[in-house]
Amino acid sequence: MDKKFTEAHAWVKGELDACVKFWLDHGMDKEYGGVITCLDRKGQIFSRDKSVWMQGRCGWIFSYLCTVYGKKEEWLNASKSCLDFLEKYCHNEKCGGRLYFTVTGDGKPLRQRRYCHSENFYTIANAEYYYNTGDKEALEHARWGYEMVWNLNHGLIEDPVGAPPKTETATRQSRAHGDPMIYLNVSDIMRRCDPERKELYDARAKQCAEEIVKYFYKPELKCTLETVGMNGELQTDTVAGRVVNPGHDIEGSWFLLKEAIYEGNDELKEIAQNIYKNAIEAGWDDTYGGLLYFIDALGFPPEAYEHDMKLWWPHNEILIASLMFYKETGDEYYLNWFYKTLDYAKEHFADPEYGEWFGYLRRDGLPTEPPCKGSTFKGPFHVPRCLITLDQLMTEMEK
């Protein structure tokens, strides 16, 4: 690889070190355990309420650092702190053990949501910790979470939370793209960490990929929709039925690419490339640069107020997907998008003075004021996962 690539790789490694240090220095709660993610630019805490998603995501990332770079006591301790906090405070025992969405800093329940992403991230955190430690209790927790999500997503059990559906099902029923997409990634992690049940994880990963293609991928519209009817029907006479989240689609494209490579499925590989291309070409802001958060499949005004903001995580996903597709295909199209996005991230998201990335930018690329590095939805997950993955890919490509 050339000098430009080598310099980019060095930048990635430096950003990863700074990101990990930022969260270890400012985010870990030494009093109650777990991670606090509401941090300003310098790492000062502006809310001690805790996101349950982030306990799982942080628990996974610090164990995954051990998987990739070798075990460090500080990383394993951070992971275990999040797992212990989840186990002690975040299960709603009145609702079948389902996990809350947010709790107070000292673990008192705040909010329960119908969505089961708290369980998804609980699953991968426990699985990765088991992979590094052999802790059988963590494995059992991972298996429990994995089954809970599957059963909820497929209507095999009545949701013990008892929350009403998002829309009245007698009037309109729909599927959400995020359900099979995230579970596909969870399945990929589970089969690596728990090879004893590989056949189960293989079958479910394959089914998730098939559901994404069958129901949500719409080549006739050159997009992948967030919401469709139960049989994949278009609901484009509604705002919700036209929502495209380009970053979500790009994230899903590299999940699908990994599954296609694993299965040896060339057709799925081609679909993954099409999903990526449709999303980045429709979502990139030619005026100011960066990826728009939401767009409308038919070009109508998006309803979400934040639709034209630039958020950190879609740019993380572009970087991962671009380099994965380039490594797999050798097509310079993907390498060009990698460099274009890397330049945007360096200029707008990265913060050399304090480390980590700004979470939220206005359309023009300036951080929202006052700027933040973490929130209920942003913690040590997308940025470090991106940088770890890029480091691995770039190391392989340089060889």
Side-chain angles (χ1 to χ4, degrees):
M1 304 302 292
D2 59 17
K3 181 181 178 183
K4 183 177 182 181
F5 191 87
T6 302
E7 290 176 347
H9 190 184
W11 183 83
V12 164
K13 289 191 284 190
E15 285 295 294
L16 177 58
D17 290 343
C19 176
V20 171
K21 184 178 187 305
F22 182 91
W23 288 105
L24 287 174
D25 286 351
H26 305 297
M28 305 313 299
D29 187 343
K30 295 178 175 60
E31 184 177 3
Y32 295 105
V35 65
I36 299 168
T37 55
C38 292
L39 304 179
D40 71 3
R41 182 188 179 193
K42 297 179 182 180
Q44 295 182 95
I45 297 168
F46 61 85
S47 173
R48 291 190 174 271
D49 289 347
K50 286 176 180 162
S51 162
V52 176
W53 284 20
M54 291 306 147
Q55 307 311 308
R57 285 175 158 185
C58 181
W60 178 76
I61 213 72
F62 279 106
S63 281
Y64 189 56
L65 282 164
C66 294
T67 298
V68 175
Y69 298 108
K71 296 173 189 175
K72 287 187 179 181
E73 185 177 2
E74 188 177 29
W75 294 346
L76 279 178
N77 287 344
S79 179
K80 185 65 161 58
S81 179
C82 292
L83 292 177
D84 288 347
F85 187 87
L86 282 165
E87 220 53 55
K88 187 173 182 179
Y89 299 114
C90 298
H91 288 281
N92 185 345
E93 300 303 339
K94 296 178 183 177
C95 295
R98 284 207 56 192
L99 281 88
Y100 294 109
F101 176 66
T102 51
V103 297
T104 62
D106 58 356
K108 294 183 179 66
L110 283 175
R111 187 178 176 195
Q112 182 91 51
R113 295 181 79 178
R114 71 174 69 81
Y115 310 113
C116 48
H117 298 321
S118 290
E119 288 81 4
N120 273 318
F121 305 129
Y122 170 86
T123 296
I124 62 173
N126 276 285
E128 202 72 49
Y129 187 79
Y130 162 74
Y131 184 79
N132 278 280
T133 65
D135 185 328
K136 290 297 180 72
E137 189 175 25
L139 176 61
E140 291 308 312
H141 292 161
R143 289 174 173 177
W144 172 86
Y146 188 75
E147 288 303 314
M148 174 63 80
V149 175
W150 179 262
N151 290 334
L152 289 169
N153 282 350
H154 291 84
L156 300 177
I157 60 171
E158 186 174 344
D159 187 350
V161 169
K166 194 170 183 179
T167 56
E168 178 55 61
T169 55
T171 303
R172 180 180 300 143
Q173 290 185 293
S174 59
R175 291 178 177 270
H177 176 213
D179 290 342
M181 192 203 88
I182 293 175
Y183 201 77
L184 171 59
N185 181 241
V186 172
S187 298
D188 184 49
I189 292 169
M190 288 296 289
R191 68 180 161 205
R192 173 174 54 78
C193 294
D194 183 20
E196 183 181 330
R197 297 192 177 183
K198 187 180 83 70
E199 289 185 5
L200 171 67
Y201 304 134
D202 284 353
R204 289 189 180 172
K206 184 178 177 65
Q207 183 173 331
C208 286
E210 290 171 349
E211 288 179 9
I212 293 167
V213 173
K214 178 179 180 180
Y215 297 123
F216 302 97
Y217 172 53
K218 303 297 180 186
E220 70 275 19
L221 296 179
K222 291 189 175 182
C223 71
T224 304
L225 292 170
E226 286 296 291
T227 305
V228 294
M230 293 303 292
N231 296 309
E233 309 97 312
L234 294 174
Q235 298 177 333
T236 48
D237 57 341
T238 71
V239 172
R242 297 194 303 268
V243 171
V244 176
N245 183 332
H248 213 202
D249 296 347
I250 291 167
E251 182 179 16
S253 76
W254 69 262
F255 292 172
L256 288 172
L257 176 63
K258 286 188 72 176
E259 183 63 21
I261 293 170
Y262 182 83
E263 294 180 13
N265 186 334
D266 289 338
E267 181 182 1
L268 183 59
K269 191 184 298 183
E270 184 176 349
I271 289 171
Q273 291 181 70
N274 290 338
I275 289 173
Y276 171 95
K277 290 178 180 178
N278 289 339
I280 202 163
E281 290 172 9
W284 191 265
D285 185 348
D286 291 328
T287 303
Y288 295 103
L291 198 73
L292 297 167
Y293 198 38
F294 293 114
I295 57 175
D296 185 282
L298 300 183
F300 289 112
E303 186 173 58
Y305 298 143
E306 70 273 26
H307 70 90
D308 63 353
M309 288 178 66
K310 314 293 167 60
L311 273 66
W312 80 103
W313 68 265
H315 299 80
N316 292 143
E317 305 312 324
I318 297 173
L319 292 170
I320 295 173
S322 299
L323 208 57
M324 277 192 179
F325 282 117
Y326 176 65
K327 183 174 181 289
E328 182 63 22
T329 67
D331 188 338
E332 296 281 332
Y333 170 89
Y334 299 109
L335 185 62
N336 290 337
W337 273 113
F338 172 76
Y339 283 132
K340 186 173 185 175
T341 307
L342 192 72
D343 288 343
Y344 184 87
K346 284 182 181 180
E347 183 177 352
H348 298 283
F349 283 110
D351 183 6
E353 187 172 357
Y354 295 105
E356 243 286 1
W357 286 19
F358 297 114
Y360 305 92
L361 309 180
R362 306 183 321 188
R363 185 185 173 192
D364 60 10
L366 291 175
T368 54
E369 291 292 343
C372 80
K373 296 291 179 58
S375 66
T376 301
F377 296 96
K378 183 181 186 295
F381 182 66
H382 284 284
V383 176
R385 180 178 72 171
C386 169
L387 298 168
I388 294 166
T389 305
L390 294 184
D391 184 30
Q392 290 177 288
L393 290 168
M394 297 173 100
T395 299
E396 292 170 11
M397 293 164 74
E398 284 172 337
K399 290 178 181 178

